[in-house]
Amino acid sequence: MGGKYRITGDAYPRMRRPRHRRRLVLAGIGAVVALGLAGWGTLQLIDVFTGGDRSASAAGHTRDCPTAKPSAVPAKALPKPAAIKVNVYNATTRSGLAKAAAEELKKRGFAIGEVGNASKEYDKKVPGAGVLLGAPAAKNGSFTVLGTQLAGTVQKTDTRKTGEVDLILGAKFKAFSTPKDATAAMTALTKPAPSPSPSC
């Protein structure tokens, strides 16, 4: 072309991409890399705090553990009511209470000893349902059996050498447990309980 639009020389204008576009591309790549590293780091932290794949490990461990049947604990040996001699004493102001209680215990198979009013040590001084008094050996035998007949009794021991037990009736005594409840309580005490299965 001629005139003022004529091209002279051997230099030509260069076409360059705008720099701001390159920066955007680099920033996008950097963001993707940063997100990937953050996600990977999060998974590593989760594994550290949760112990990895415990569910799979536990499942495999369960398969390796043999199924063990619970072994029965031997039943606790308790004396029969007929082998327990009970002295019944009334520590309340209600007359005839000891006699009526003794008759009921006799119907339930207990051997009855003395029946009467409580000594001065206990007379009108038993606020609960009653007190079981006997030798230390009675704590794991006679007290347990007699306790199924009357809930809420307090157990005390003395220096006696005999196996008889004193039942001192207190102010809150109303009636013995029903025969059904007493039998259920006795069954729960004598029924063997399964031991826990071994953990693998």
Side-chain angles (χ1 to χ4, degrees):
M1 296 178 65
K4 61 180 180 179
Y5 296 105
R6 186 177 57 184
I7 298 175
T8 60
D10 57 357
Y12 297 92
R14 295 181 180 180
M15 304 299 290
R16 296 181 179 179
R17 295 180 178 178
R19 292 185 178 180
H20 65 277
R21 182 177 296 177
R22 182 180 300 174
R23 291 177 181 174
L24 288 176
V25 172
L26 291 176
I29 294 174
V32 170
V33 173
L35 288 174
L37 290 175
W40 180 81
T42 302
L43 290 176
Q44 295 300 315
L45 288 174
I46 291 174
D47 285 343
V48 168
F49 287 105
T50 60
D53 190 4
R54 289 186 177 179
S55 60
S57 176
H61 192 61
T62 303
R63 287 194 300 268
D64 296 338
C65 180
T67 302
K69 295 181 179 179
S71 57
V73 177
K76 184 177 181 180
L78 293 173
K80 299 293 184 181
I84 302 173
K85 185 178 181 180
V86 185
N87 300 320
V88 185
Y89 299 110
N90 182 10
T92 74
T93 58
R94 290 173 283 173
S95 61
L97 189 63
K99 182 179 179 181
E103 290 176 354
E104 179 61 29
L105 288 177
K106 186 176 181 180
K107 292 178 183 178
R108 300 186 183 200
F110 290 89
I112 304 301
E114 295 182 6
V115 178
N117 294 324
S119 63
K120 292 182 179 180
E121 182 182 358
Y122 292 100
D123 189 28
K124 301 178 184 63
K125 297 177 183 178
V126 181
V131 174
L132 295 177
L133 184 64
K139 293 182 66 176
N140 296 322
S142 300
F143 282 179
T144 303
V145 177
L146 195 55
T148 62
Q149 308 296 322
L150 180 59
T153 54
V154 176
Q155 299 180 3
K156 291 185 177 182
T157 59
D158 54 17
T159 58
R160 73 181 68 187
K161 302 299 181 180
T162 59
E164 61 187 20
V165 176
D166 295 346
L167 171 59
I168 306 172
L169 302 175
K172 290 186 179 180
F173 174 80
K174 295 185 181 300
F176 290 108
S177 303
T178 64
K180 182 179 178 181
D181 290 341
T183 301
M186 181 65 70
T187 302
L189 291 172
T190 58
K191 184 179 180 181
S195 61
S197 58
S199 57
C200 298

